[in-house]
C-alpha cells in the first residue's frame, strides 16, 4: 500500500510530467516571454539509487539553468526571435541569423534536451512500452530488449559529450546519437526519448562507468510519457 508520502510523490511525479510536457510544447509558450527553467517535477532524490540526488540537483539547478540563461542572453541580440518556441527555433536553425545560430543550437538544444529528459524519468516501476509503440518497437528492433541494447550501444559509442535517442525519422523508429547538445529536431526527426551521456549526468555516482549509468536510466524510463509522445506524433 502507498504511504501518504509515496502518494504525494506519485502525484508530484504525474503533475510534474504534465507541467513539463506543457513547457515542452511550443504552442503553450506565452508570446514575448523569455525561456524559463521548468521545474524538475519531482524531488531530487526521486530517482535514487539509479541517479543520485546531488547529481539531479546540480544537473537541473546549475547545468540546465545555465543553458536557459545563456539562451535568453543570446536572444537579446535578436528580439524578433523571442516569441518563437524552442522547438520552432531548433527545427529552423539554418534560417536563423548567424549571430545567434550557434547559441541556439548549443544553449537552446541544451534547454530542450534536458526539459525532455526530466519528463521521461520516474522512480523505478513496471512501466514498459505499450500498445502501438510496443508494436512499432517490436517491428523495428525485434524486441524491447533489442531496442534497449541499441540505446545502450549508441550512448556508449558517442565519443565525448552527447545524447542517445529513440526517435521518429520519416515515419521510422530509429536509435541515433548526437554530439554536444545537438537536437534531432534540427535534422527533421522527432525525439521520443533521450539519454544524456555528458559526464555531468553520471560522473558523481558512476565515475567512468557510463555503461552502468545507461543501464540504470533504462530502468527508470517513464514509458507512459514516451508512449504518449509517440501517439501524438503519429496523430
Ligand atoms: Mn546534461
Amino acid at each position: 500500500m502507498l504511504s501518504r508520502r509515496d502518494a504525494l510523490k506519485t502525484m508530484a511525479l504525474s503533475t510534474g510530467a504534465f507541467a513539463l510536457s506543457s513547457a515542452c510544447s511550443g504552442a503553450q509558450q506565452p508570446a514575448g516571454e523569455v525561456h524559463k527553467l521548468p521545474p524538475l517535477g519531482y524531488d531530487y532524490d526521486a530517482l535514487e539509487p539509479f541517479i543520485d540526488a546531488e547529481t539531479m540537483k546540480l544537473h537541473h539547478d546549475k547545468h540546465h539553468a545555465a543553458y536557459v540563461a545563456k539562451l535568453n542572453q543570446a536572444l537579446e541580440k535578436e528580439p524578433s526571435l523571442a516569441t518563437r518556441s524552442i522547438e520552432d527555433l531548433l527545427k529552423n536553425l539554418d534560417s536563423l541569423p548567424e549571430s545567434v545560430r550557434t547559441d541556439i543550437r548549443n544553449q537552446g538544444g541544451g534547454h530542450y534536451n534536458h526539459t525532455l529528459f526530466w519528463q521521461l524519468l520516474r522512480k523505478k516501476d513496471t512501466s514498459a512500452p505499450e500498445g502501438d509503440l510496443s508494436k512499432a518497437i517490436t517491428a523495428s528492433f525485434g524486441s524491447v530488449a533489442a531496442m534497449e541494447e541499441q540505446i545502450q550501444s549508441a550512448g556508449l559509442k558517442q565519443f565525448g559529450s552527447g545524447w542517445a535517442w529513440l526517435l521518429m525519422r520519416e515515419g521510422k523508429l530509429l536509435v541515433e546519437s548526437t554530439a554536444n547538445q545537438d537536437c534531432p529536431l534540427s535534422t527533421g526527426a522527432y525525439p521520443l526519448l533521450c539519454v544524456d551521456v555528458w559526464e555531468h549526468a553520471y560522473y558523481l555516482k558512476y565515475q567512468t562507468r557510463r555503461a552502468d549509468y545507461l543501464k540504470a536510466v533504462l530502468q527508470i524510463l517513464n514509458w507512459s510519457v514516451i508512449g504518449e509522445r509517440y501517439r501524438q506524433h503519429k496523430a
Side-chain angles (χ1 to χ4, degrees):
M1 207 180 119
L2 282 177
S3 70
R4 184 176 149 76
R5 183 166 161 77
D6 282 340
L8 287 171
K9 269 195 186 166
T10 307
M11 275 173 64
L13 281 170
S14 40
T15 52
F18 184 76
L20 282 167
S21 97
S22 300
C24 254
S25 146
Q28 321 250 343
Q29 204 111 29
E33 273 205 40
V34 289
H35 299 274
K36 288 187 167 63
L37 178 67
L40 196 53
Y42 38 81
D43 293 341
Y44 297 121
D45 65 359
L47 308 176
E48 295 262 16
F50 301 93
I51 304 180
D52 58 291
E54 196 183 355
T55 295
M56 290 306 288
K57 188 167 171 43
L58 287 170
H59 202 172
H60 177 268
D61 296 6
K62 301 291 179 195
H63 291 280
H64 189 174
Y67 292 117
V68 175
K70 288 176 188 165
L71 170 65
N72 287 329
Q73 211 175 358
L75 287 171
E76 284 171 15
K77 285 184 268 183
E78 294 289 343
S80 65
L81 302 179
T83 54
R84 290 174 60 179
S85 72
I86 191 60
E87 289 87 347
D88 180 26
L89 294 172
L90 290 169
K91 278 180 194 166
N92 296 289
L93 273 187
D94 290 346
S95 66
L96 299 179
E98 240 184 282
S99 60
V100 292
R101 195 182 302 150
T102 302
D103 277 335
I104 290 177
R105 177 176 174 176
N106 293 335
Q107 315 300 344
H111 175 38
Y112 177 88
N113 299 346
H114 286 92
T115 301
L116 178 60
F117 189 44
W118 309 140
Q119 186 191 333
L120 302 175
L121 301 176
R122 63 179 297 164
K123 215 177 185 62
K124 189 183 184 186
D125 68 359
T126 53
S127 161
E130 287 175 359
D132 286 350
L133 176 57
S134 167
K135 284 179 205 152
I137 287 172
T138 306
S140 307
F141 301 98
S143 66
V144 171
M147 174 209 62
E148 287 179 344
E149 268 171 41
Q150 284 200 26
I151 293 173
Q152 172 100 9
S153 161
L156 264 180
K157 285 183 189 154
Q158 174 56 45
F159 180 74
S161 298
W163 293 78
W165 304 87
L166 174 68
L167 49 77
M168 299 287 298
R169 186 183 290 288
E170 287 162 6
K172 289 200 180 97
L173 213 49
L174 296 167
V175 168
E176 295 182 5
S177 66
T178 58
N180 303 315
Q181 293 296 351
D182 286 355
C183 179
L185 287 174
S186 304
T187 54
Y190 180 78
L192 294 176
L193 83 81
C194 57
V195 184
D196 191 340
V197 295
W198 284 56
E199 282 188 347
H200 69 225
Y202 62 86
Y203 207 85
L204 286 181
K205 183 179 170 74
Y206 293 94
Q207 290 86 45
T208 57
R209 303 188 308 278
R210 190 190 278 190
D212 290 350
Y213 158 76
L214 279 157
K215 217 177 286 172
V217 171
L218 289 168
Q219 295 183 67
I220 51 171
L221 289 173
N222 187 338
W223 281 102
S224 64
V225 171
I226 300 162
E228 184 59 19
R229 288 181 70 78
Y230 178 74
R231 199 186 61 74
Q232 282 182 4
H233 183 67
K234 292 286 275 188

